[in-house]
Amino acid sequence: MRQLFANRTSSILLQEKCDEADEKSVSKQKPGDESGNTVVVAPPEFRFMYPEFLPDPAMERRNRLKEKLERIDMLQRRSVVEIPEFYTGSVMAVTVADANSPNKFARFVGICIQRGGSGLRAWFILRNVVDKQGVEILYEMYCPLIQKIEVLRLERRLDESLLYLRDALPEYSTFPLDMEPERRLNNSVVPINPLKVKLRPRPWLERWERQNLQGVEDLNLPQRFYDKAEKVAKPWEKYDLMLQYRKTIPAEEQEKIFSDVHSQLQQQEFKRKMRRRRGTDNEQ
Amino acid sequence: MFWLFFNHEQVRTMSRVKRRTTHPPYWHVLKNNQRQDEKISSDNLRFVREVIQDKYKNKSPIKGSDLDIEKKEWDPKTKRSGVIARNIGVQHMWEKDGKKVVCTVLHVLDNHVIRYVPPEEYAKSIIGAKVFRNRKPLGCLVVGAEAANPDRFTRQYCSLFSEVGLLPKKRLARFIVTPNAVLPPCTPLTAGHFVIGQAVDVYGKTIDYGFQGVVKRWGFKGGPASHGATKFHRRGGTIGTGRDKARVWPGQKMPGHMGSERRFCRGLKIVRINMKYNVIYVKGTVPGPTNSIVQIFDTLLPRRKFTEAPPHPTYFPPEDGTLPQEDIWDSSLHVFGSPSISV
């Protein structure tokens, strides 16, 4: 029997953001080709580390002044709480102020299966299996109830959205609730975990064979599923330049946005490092 | 006997009213320039721009002490001027107990008062006669927003502004004011005109959905999706009884143009004012799509009106040169730079 229980802190319906996935996959193919010549331009990795600073690409709803004010608010919030760099596939722990829990704070550990939203509405979903019950929680990154966000294991997976973990064997979504943060050997590169997940036998929540998933083992379905998937597929979309253009923010604008923002983010990082060093010195 | 209780009379009168037009009223002056682009050389173009700049040179900002009209005291029956703003989007904020609040961001454009029409004169105009048919007439303040290049407007339209020496504005609006809240022409109106925590009414034109069917426009349920329904999934169904009156009643709900109508959102609370960028954050949503123009004024709702005097007749920056507080927050909101909420 399928045991899936989704619990959300906010009552928003989840929508698969394939457009986010497309944008990420396009940019993943050439991570090192762009170079910022001037000092003001932020490093190109910023659009992967802080994707919520980029606004929603829909032109009818864009306004430069509002985006600027929203970014100021986001940086204000980040100065109080450290919102670290993370990707789908990273294991994270979030501490939230909760009136109903015994010690007023609730801590949840899970793997990030999806992230989306832009600006102050940015969210991510953590999934874990607790007492054989799958639990997913959607957290809004800039909600002031969040006390702490820790990344216990920083890594990426082969897909941008790990929603197939709901149909996978539970061991792939289980993480100990008292997991310690893992140290990375190589700080410059975020490792990609080439894990191929085994799915449970059908029925599934979605037609995974139609979604070109890289991180899933061979689905072993009868041929008619793959034939239907081919019929329904849209192979021309990868050649559609205007579709990509409408889904992404142009590179010049991205540079402008991140050049506004990166100096402040770097200052905040620096202050945190100094605080941590001073903290360890005090302990010694 | 159901038809006895259905108020057909009211529906019939309202169905005859024309709800929207694509052209302005006939008494308006022709606004946009119809002529084609003339081929001007770049030198001449530069000269034209210099002439415009000289003509509309920046005037020194009006101080509160310079008001020609004697400053009259505020009383609870005063109606202040309103403000033209642009709805630039929606931002999520949080209250001090962690509850999320959807706030609309309104950017107060460069508003200037164009002229004042005294009550006696306004009562004689077409609109004024209708509005003040049975009550004491009030004055009307014409406010303009969004200065633009005079080249794109006709001479008659520019003359509306050249009397006061202002660059012609793209948008004009009228606000009904009591005579003690009158402002002289060229007075700028900014976000400081409003007070944190006050209730405002926002008037805008709703989102234009175009020609819409009966399901979206009136919320009809349509027909069954399956079970043999032939071509009856989103249709209206019956439009009359057939017996009494033997015709379709006027006002029968049918497909048609939906949206692009003037609507008011009453009693929205102002939760944050940014004086530097002239931006107001209002709790709730506002009629109209993003980047559309709205008008904001003090609320008509009797229980949410002012109890103390607001900046009357409008806000003027302090004369001793001190800058006002840049970002003012309502006491119920959680400020982003402050520590996380612990319940």
Side-chain angles (χ1 to χ4, degrees):
Chain A
M1 198 184 94
R2 195 168 315 128
Q3 295 163 355
L4 276 168
F5 166 69
N7 169 28
R8 286 144 211 199
T9 52
S10 61
S11 56
I12 306 169
L13 278 171
L14 283 181
Q15 281 177 15
E16 273 243 338
K17 272 220 163 180
C18 298
D19 39 328
E20 278 270 311
D22 280 339
E23 184 203 354
K24 291 276 176 66
S25 59
V26 161
S27 41
K28 236 204 266 186
Q29 280 155 21
K30 24 177 193 156
D33 288 346
E34 296 149 58
S35 56
N37 293 318
T38 52
V39 180
V40 184
V41 170
E45 302 86 57
F46 262 56
R47 61 192 167 121
F48 308 119
M49 289 161 67
Y50 309 107
E52 75 269 8
F53 279 97
L54 295 175
D56 190 357
M59 267 323 281
E60 306 91 45
R61 278 176 255 132
R62 285 203 59 190
N63 185 288
R64 305 295 187 272
L65 175 63
K66 186 246 174 180
E67 286 154 23
K68 185 174 174 185
L69 294 170
E70 205 169 10
R71 262 178 264 136
I72 295 173
D73 286 337
M74 285 159 76
L75 288 168
Q76 289 270 302
R77 175 69 190 152
R78 272 174 180 266
S79 67
V80 177
V81 158
E82 190 203 346
I83 301 175
E85 169 196 0
F86 66 96
Y87 305 90
T88 51
S90 317
V91 182
M92 299 162 66
V94 174
T95 321
V96 170
D98 189 5
N100 302 320
S101 62
N103 39 337
K104 301 295 178 190
F105 293 112
R107 185 172 189 263
F108 186 72
V109 171
I111 181 171
C112 175
I113 58 172
Q114 208 182 25
R115 77 181 284 187
S118 57
L120 290 166
R121 283 167 289 187
W123 51 264
F124 58 92
I125 308 178
L126 294 186
R127 179 185 168 79
N128 204 341
V129 174
V130 174
D131 282 346
K132 296 186 186 172
Q133 172 69 62
V135 176
E136 289 180 14
I137 305 187
L138 186 148
Y139 290 103
E140 303 200 311
M141 269 152 67
Y142 291 89
C143 178
L145 289 169
I146 292 182
Q147 311 295 314
K148 202 174 182 190
I149 305 179
E150 303 160 89
V151 172
L152 305 174
R153 189 192 301 163
L154 178 64
E155 63 176 12
R156 288 166 122 165
R157 292 285 186 98
L158 294 166
D159 298 303
E160 288 308 323
S161 154
L162 301 177
L163 293 175
Y164 54 78
L165 290 178
R166 294 170 180 166
D167 281 326
L169 299 170
E171 67 227 26
Y172 293 103
S173 316
T174 325
F175 298 92
L177 292 172
D178 51 0
M179 190 167 158
E180 294 289 327
E182 292 171 14
R183 284 219 166 164
R184 275 160 63 198
L185 299 163
N186 184 1
N187 255 353
S188 54
V189 172
V190 176
I192 300 180
N193 189 347
L195 178 65
K196 298 257 183 192
V197 160
K198 224 185 248 179
L199 295 187
R200 278 197 288 248
R202 274 179 60 245
W204 294 325
L205 286 169
E206 286 183 51
R207 294 187 225 244
W208 303 118
E209 73 276 4
R210 295 189 184 183
Q211 291 184 26
N212 296 329
L213 300 171
Q214 307 296 316
V216 167
E217 256 190 37
D218 189 24
L219 298 169
N220 280 331
L221 292 169
Q223 185 55 36
R224 62 169 204 272
F225 284 92
Y226 300 112
D227 293 339
K228 197 68 195 291
E230 261 184 54
K231 254 196 193 175
V232 155
K234 300 181 190 172
W236 57 84
E237 274 192 346
K238 64 173 183 272
Y239 304 113
D240 193 346
L241 287 175
M242 283 316 292
L243 189 71
Q244 280 307 310
Y245 180 73
R246 268 181 252 119
K247 281 185 190 172
T248 55
I249 309 285
E252 303 85 19
E253 271 217 70
Q254 285 193 22
E255 275 177 19
K256 234 195 260 179
I257 291 171
F258 285 121
S259 63
D260 278 343
V261 142
H262 93 292
S263 59
Q264 294 221 30
L265 285 170
Q266 282 186 336
Q267 270 178 26
Q268 287 173 4
E269 268 275 330
F270 184 69
K271 277 187 198 159
R272 284 207 183 94
K273 272 192 193 152
M274 296 306 290
R275 237 179 278 155
R276 253 179 259 151
R277 249 179 241 159
R278 255 182 254 139
T280 50
D281 285 344
N282 286 344
E283 280 164 13
Q284 285 169 4
Chain B
M1 298 288 260
F2 166 71
W3 54 271
L4 276 179
F5 303 100
F6 189 75
N7 190 355
H8 286 283
E9 303 299 327
Q10 194 174 23
V11 167
R12 198 185 297 144
T13 352
M14 282 318 290
S15 74
R16 300 290 188 217
V17 170
K18 200 168 165 67
R19 283 151 78 187
R20 25 177 125 65
T21 58
T22 46
H23 57 83
Y26 67 87
W27 64 82
H28 275 199
V29 147
L30 185 66
K31 183 172 166 186
N32 291 316
N33 237 331
Q34 306 294 319
R35 64 181 168 82
Q36 300 298 317
D37 285 312
E38 294 164 355
K39 291 199 171 66
I40 317 179
S41 67
S42 50
D43 285 337
N44 286 347
L45 203 63
R46 223 178 298 134
F47 176 70
V48 166
R49 281 206 198 108
E50 281 172 18
V51 165
I52 292 172
Q53 274 175 10
D54 281 334
K55 191 175 176 193
Y56 299 102
K57 244 186 284 199
N58 284 334
K59 293 192 162 186
S60 56
I62 290 193
K63 298 184 208 159
S65 47
D66 288 352
L67 280 184
D68 296 337
I69 305 170
E70 340 124 30
K71 225 180 192 175
K72 294 193 185 153
E73 287 303 310
W74 179 86
D75 62 79
K77 297 236 167 152
T78 319
K79 274 186 173 225
R80 294 194 305 163
S81 166
V83 131
I84 305 175
R86 174 175 274 135
N87 166 12
I88 58 178
V90 147
Q91 185 166 306
H92 293 199
M93 310 241 255
W94 284 267
E95 289 182 347
K96 287 223 161 92
D97 54 358
K99 194 172 131 195
K100 190 161 85 165
V101 150
V102 168
C103 298
T104 314
V105 190
L106 300 166
H107 176 213
V108 174
L109 305 167
D110 54 333
N111 287 291
H112 282 101
V113 173
I114 309 297
R115 70 176 163 282
Y116 169 64
V117 180
E120 310 79 35
E121 208 183 303
Y122 190 50
K124 292 182 199 158
S125 69
I126 301 165
I127 299 262
K130 280 189 210 168
V131 173
F132 298 114
R133 201 174 304 150
N134 295 322
R135 47 195 181 114
K136 190 177 152 201
L138 295 172
C140 162
L141 212 57
V142 177
V143 173
E146 246 191 312
N149 192 353
D151 276 349
R152 54 182 283 173
F153 300 122
T154 53
R155 190 178 290 184
Q156 302 97 315
Y157 188 76
C158 291
S159 68
L160 297 170
F161 305 90
S162 55
E163 291 150 26
V164 277
L166 283 171
L167 268 173
K169 306 278 192 185
K170 277 195 214 167
R171 307 288 302 212
L172 280 172
R174 293 190 200 177
F175 295 106
I176 312 283
V177 289
T178 46
N180 68 337
V182 171
L183 290 163
C186 272
T187 319
L189 297 166
T190 54
H193 183 74
F194 298 105
V195 172
I196 283 279
Q198 107 174 70
V200 288
D201 291 344
V202 181
Y203 148 57
K205 263 192 152 179
T206 51
I207 298 176
D208 193 351
Y209 291 98
F211 194 101
Q212 284 300 332
V214 115
V215 168
K216 192 179 182 77
R217 196 181 182 211
W218 298 114
F220 282 17
K221 288 192 79 180
S226 67
H227 290 301
T230 356
K231 302 202 281 186
F232 185 69
H233 308 292
R234 296 181 72 87
R235 298 187 69 177
T238 187
I239 54 174
T241 54
R243 273 280 177 168
D244 63 277
K245 293 290 174 181
R247 63 185 171 98
V248 178
W249 283 93
Q252 171 63 39
K253 292 178 180 172
M254 283 185 165
H257 191 257
M258 176 180 168
S260 187
E261 294 182 59
R262 50 176 286 168
R263 287 285 184 268
F264 289 86
C265 259
R266 305 249 184 226
L268 302 175
K269 185 175 162 189
I270 295 183
V271 287
R272 184 178 164 192
I273 298 181
N274 190 321
M275 301 288 271
K276 182 179 170 194
Y277 293 101
N278 259 341
V279 155
I280 301 175
Y281 292 73
V282 138
K283 184 175 173 182
T285 47
V286 133
T290 314
N291 293 323
S292 66
I293 303 289
V294 296
Q295 292 175 20
I296 318 173
F297 34 86
D298 303 334
T299 193
L300 293 176
L301 301 176
R303 288 208 277 177
R304 296 191 209 185
K305 283 193 177 168
F306 283 116
T307 40
E308 317 172 319
H312 175 78
T314 187
Y315 168 80
F316 293 104
E319 283 167 36
D320 49 2
T322 54
L323 293 166
Q325 193 189 348
E326 206 181 281
D327 211 348
I328 318 170
W329 294 72
D330 188 41
S331 53
S332 65
L333 273 198
H334 163 83
V335 182
F336 282 115
S338 60
S340 307
I341 300 171
S342 41
V343 179

